[in-house]
Amino acid sequence: MGNYTIAIHGGAGTILQSEMTPELEKAYTDGLQQALDAGYAVLDKGGNA
């Protein structure tokens, strides 16, 4: 396993905190984690950024 730095952008626009349910927040954070995991897997196999 290598050491990598991956930056992701959580989307464009505004999500008001008053509209953020725990379920919606979990869906967003799960999606961001999936993006990080996919990027790491590519880099870990010698792929390019």
Side-chain angles (χ1 to χ4, degrees):
M1 271 188 175
N3 289 324
Y4 309 108
T5 300
I6 300 175
I8 57 173
H9 188 285
T14 302
I15 302 171
L16 298 175
Q17 189 64 35
S18 62
E19 295 177 4
M20 180 67 77
T21 64
E23 296 81 13
L24 184 56
E25 184 174 7
K26 181 166 178 10
Y28 276 98
T29 57
D30 286 352
L32 294 172
Q33 186 63 57
Q34 289 174 3
L36 287 172
D37 293 344
Y40 185 89
V42 169
L43 295 174
D44 203 43
K45 292 178 183 173
N48 294 320

